[in-house]
């Protein structure tokens, strides 16, 4: 019965889209995603979430209390509105789409509510889809700077990009193009001056020398400290946690980082924690580079709920299958570890020196 | 004994670096990476590589024949030389670094060769590190276009970026900034006219409407067909395989794509294949979005060998731990699949129409 209602709704939406809307992307389509309310594990290691997440997913099916955690969605902002190209077209598409969906979702919620009282026993059909914070207005600011590792930025952005109604800014000192450590050049969408004051998520990617330079730059640290004090979540991936630490945002908090500089966080008064994604209160930090996908998906679940995050995971086909098993210091072959530890030794030492010299 | 030689070498390199070189990034440091020669599995599904790779890794330890597969490295190119910023500095750093390492590596190879004859029984120390194609000159061209999914591009770029000596171009119709479907704006490094003619790797990312537009654009298809005919490897991630197909590059080849448009590849004469990474002769295609990391790491192993790829995996800390298990049509909950299939239906239909209308 529930499945029938979903198909009915989606066919209705699909027909409406064909009439009213421009063709849209997989990301845009995420505005349809339906989500169960979700709560973090009491464990600070979100790396434990596969088990915890499923356990909480089951709780969601059993307890209406979880559904009270969702926030109201006041207004719609376009997460691409700052992009230099296609800005107007994309904004118009998203606004038209959202207006249409809002009108269409009311009967869906009624139908889903009725389905909840049915005898349908398919477990993944029992999740309360009528409590969906599918429309949001998060303000997300992602710091970018010369020498950053662009994968640290794009992994989380890939997941944040599914948040219909969220506004994502790529924030730099100026609007001059920013080149990553591997030579990818990105145009910022906002500056330290034009970035919104009150943020849902403040994020910084990592890198090596570029990150150490950013972590020693007074303007960058002043921006991070100011927005960090106002942001609901203060986050990073890879050695980006060095920038959070240098801005005084990790004192007394557990935090992760790239394996080559995680211990240096102690110099900023943080508690270095070896996990893929670490949460301590509103500080959420990822390990090296590719952990940004696990971090980003965890953030989508925190902001919109588990089912929304599952839709994001399916559209990004995040079903990883590394061809080798050398991705962590726990699994890499001894010869690979020996070489890489020594080869990153210079960066490790500089990160520790920076942290040790801080007055935090 | 072997471990001692590695530490000795690296301490020597480290001291030399401190004297001669500017601080460098984890990626730059990959030029140190030592690699065993590597051969693909006879299976077209690189998704099977975790088992196959290890088996071949063992073969490498048993058979010198594998080491004959490596290519000589004629000259050194800087993979960031096309980036608008820091170009000179980065090129100089990389060139100085490489010159230094070349001089230092000769005694290392002799030492390692001697170690091979020792009684050292640690399996991961038995790999022949003296046959390392650690210096390369690959020419990699990555197509970028408006509306692409930037994660499709950056996942592979994250891995390609570790290839010391390789040159990576981000190629577009013009040098005008290109905005992705989620609003990330990237500046191209080359145009269809300035892109090198003879490539090691031709790559295209996917997307939705932007990809369909690129797959219907005569200039883009002419560029892909021309470079595809000259490239050692013709590759894509996600719906990028639609562009390869539209350019006539997949006729008679097994290929993967995003789950929402994989079947459409049949319209281009391809054989849709459901796997994370699919290889058929020199065509290597990934599944949706995040498969670019598995694709990229497999390509690094193909180009530089398994140990080089393992070093790349460790520096990018690619030890994935998704918080949910919804990343494929095989594992996602039924309600999530039902909604996402319907919500991508419009794109699926347009992709099938495009392929069916092709005269390939």
């Amino acid at each position: 019965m529930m499945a029938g209602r979903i198909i009915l709704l989606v066919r209705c939406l699909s027909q409406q889209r064909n009439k009213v809307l421009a063709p849209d992307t997989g990301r845009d389509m995420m505005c349809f995603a339906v989500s169960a309310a979700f709560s973090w594990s009491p464990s600070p290691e979100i790396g434990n979430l596969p088990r915890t997440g499923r356990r909480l997913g089951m709780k969601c099916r059993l307890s209406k209390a979880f559904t009270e955690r969702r926030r109201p969605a006041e207004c719609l902002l376009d997460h691409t509105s700052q992009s230099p190209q296609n800005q107007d077209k994309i904004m118009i598409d998203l606004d038209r789409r959202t207006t249409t969906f809002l009108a269409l979702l009311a009967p869906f919620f009624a139908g889903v509510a009725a389905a909840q009282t049915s005898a349908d026993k398919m477990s993944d059909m029992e999740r309360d889809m009528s409590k969906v914070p599918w429309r949001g207005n998060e303000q997300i600011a992602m710091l970018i700077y010369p020498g950053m590792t662009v994968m640290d930025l794009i992994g989380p952005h890939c997941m944040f990009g599914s948040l219909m109604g969220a506004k994502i800014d790529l924030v730099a000192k100026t609007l001059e193009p920013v080149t990553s450590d591997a030579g990818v050049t990105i145009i910022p969408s906002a500056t330290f001056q034009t970035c919104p004051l009150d943020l849902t998520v403040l994020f910084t990617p990592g890198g090596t020398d570029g990150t150490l330079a950013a972590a020693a730059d007074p303007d960058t640290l002043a921006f991070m400290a100011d927005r960090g004090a106002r942001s609901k979540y203060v986050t990073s991936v890879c050695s980006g946690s060095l920038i959070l630490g240098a801005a005084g945002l990790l004192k007394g908090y557990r935090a992760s980082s790239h394996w080559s500089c995680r211990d240096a966080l102690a110099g900023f008064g943080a508690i270095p924690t070896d996990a893929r994604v670490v949460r301590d209160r509103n500080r959420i930090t990822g390990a090296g580079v590719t952990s940004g996908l696990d971090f980003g998906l965890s953030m989508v679940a925190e902001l919109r709920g588990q089912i929304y995050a599952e839709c994001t995971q399916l559209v990004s086909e995040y079903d990883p299958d590394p061809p080798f098993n050398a991705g962590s210091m726990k699994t890499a072959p001894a010869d690979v570890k020996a070489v890489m530890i020594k080869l990153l030794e210079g960066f490790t030492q500089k990160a520790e020196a920076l942290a040790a010299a801080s007055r935090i």
Side-chain angles (χ1 to χ4, degrees), chain A:
Chain A
M1 174 179 178
M2 180 65 170
R5 289 179 183 277
I6 291 177
I7 302 308
L8 186 64
L9 159 83
V10 178
R11 181 169 299 117
C12 172
L13 289 172
S14 184
Q15 290 165 351
Q16 191 69 19
R17 267 185 44 240
N18 296 338
K19 276 188 300 184
V20 177
L21 302 175
D24 42 23
T25 69
R27 259 145 208 71
D28 297 341
M29 292 177 184
M30 289 301 301
C31 63
F32 286 99
V34 287
S35 170
F38 182 87
S39 170
W40 283 109
S41 159
S43 158
E45 285 74 38
I46 297 178
N48 297 337
L49 211 52
R51 292 176 299 284
T52 315
R54 277 190 288 276
R55 191 167 64 248
L56 289 171
M58 178 61 68
K59 282 184 188 172
C60 290
R61 290 192 286 274
L62 299 177
S63 166
K64 295 285 184 191
F66 281 88
T67 64
E68 298 313 309
R69 294 176 178 274
R70 74 187 192 282
R71 292 189 308 283
E74 288 83 21
C75 64
L76 179 79
L77 297 173
D78 166 23
H79 72 260
T80 65
S81 60
Q82 295 297 315
S83 70
Q85 288 191 339
N86 308 329
Q87 175 176 334
D88 296 342
K89 175 188 169 302
I90 296 171
M91 280 191 74
I92 291 165
D93 288 353
L94 288 178
D95 289 346
R96 287 160 58 199
R97 196 170 299 128
T98 305
T99 306
T100 309
F101 302 158
L102 277 176
L104 289 166
L105 276 182
F108 174 57
F109 288 158
V112 173
Q116 298 305 308
T117 66
S118 78
D120 184 344
K121 292 301 177 194
M122 287 179 62
S123 65
D124 58 4
M125 288 301 175
E126 289 169 19
R127 300 192 285 194
D128 187 347
M129 299 180 177
S130 69
K131 309 292 187 182
V132 179
W134 67 275
R135 184 186 66 154
N137 64 342
E138 298 90 349
Q139 293 267 357
I140 300 174
M142 307 181 82
L143 177 70
I144 63 176
Y145 53 86
M148 67 177 175
T149 295
V150 70
M151 179 63 203
D152 296 0
L153 173 79
I154 298 302
H157 192 284
C158 169
M159 303 303 181
F160 288 147
S162 78
L163 297 171
M164 181 62 183
K167 180 171 181 294
I168 305 176
D169 276 312
L170 302 183
V171 186
K173 243 177 172 177
T174 72
L175 291 179
E176 285 299 301
V178 170
T179 298
S180 79
D181 54 6
V184 175
T185 300
I186 293 180
I187 298 180
S189 65
T191 67
F192 294 167
Q193 288 68 42
T194 63
C195 176
L197 290 179
D198 298 308
L199 301 170
T200 311
V201 179
L202 175 66
F203 169 85
T204 176
T208 49
D209 299 321
T211 305
L212 296 174
D217 176 65
D219 294 343
T220 302
L221 296 182
F223 168 77
M224 294 300 289
D226 175 77
R227 297 307 196 278
R230 304 157 172 271
S231 184
K232 182 171 183 181
Y233 301 101
V234 176
T235 69
S236 66
V237 159
C238 198
S239 55
S241 50
L242 295 176
I243 296 175
L244 297 185
L249 294 168
L250 291 181
K251 189 171 185 178
Y253 289 85
R254 286 181 301 269
S256 188
S257 194
H258 190 276
W259 55 261
S260 63
C261 61
R262 189 176 56 241
D263 291 346
L265 293 175
F268 297 119
I271 304 153
T273 305
D274 180 7
R276 190 78 174 159
V277 182
V278 172
R279 180 184 193 170
D280 186 347
R281 286 155 283 175
N282 76 331
R283 268 51 165 183
I284 306 175
T285 51
V289 191
T290 57
S291 72
L293 292 169
D294 301 318
F295 160 82
L297 201 52
S298 301
M299 287 301 300
V300 169
E302 171 74 2
L303 295 167
R304 299 292 182 97
Q306 179 173 348
I307 297 182
Y308 199 116
E310 289 173 338
C311 290
T312 302
Q313 185 177 8
L314 183 57
V315 81
S316 61
E317 211 160 342
Y318 186 41
D319 182 35
D321 185 15
F324 306 108
N325 189 27
S328 85
M329 297 304 288
K330 301 180 185 71
T331 60
D335 54 0
V336 168
K337 283 195 292 187
V339 171
M340 296 312 295
I341 288 171
K342 284 303 247 181
L343 298 183
L344 284 167
E345 187 178 45
F347 170 67
T348 299
Q349 289 170 346
K350 283 181 287 183
E352 285 170 354
L354 176 78
S358 73
R359 295 201 179 81
I360 294 165

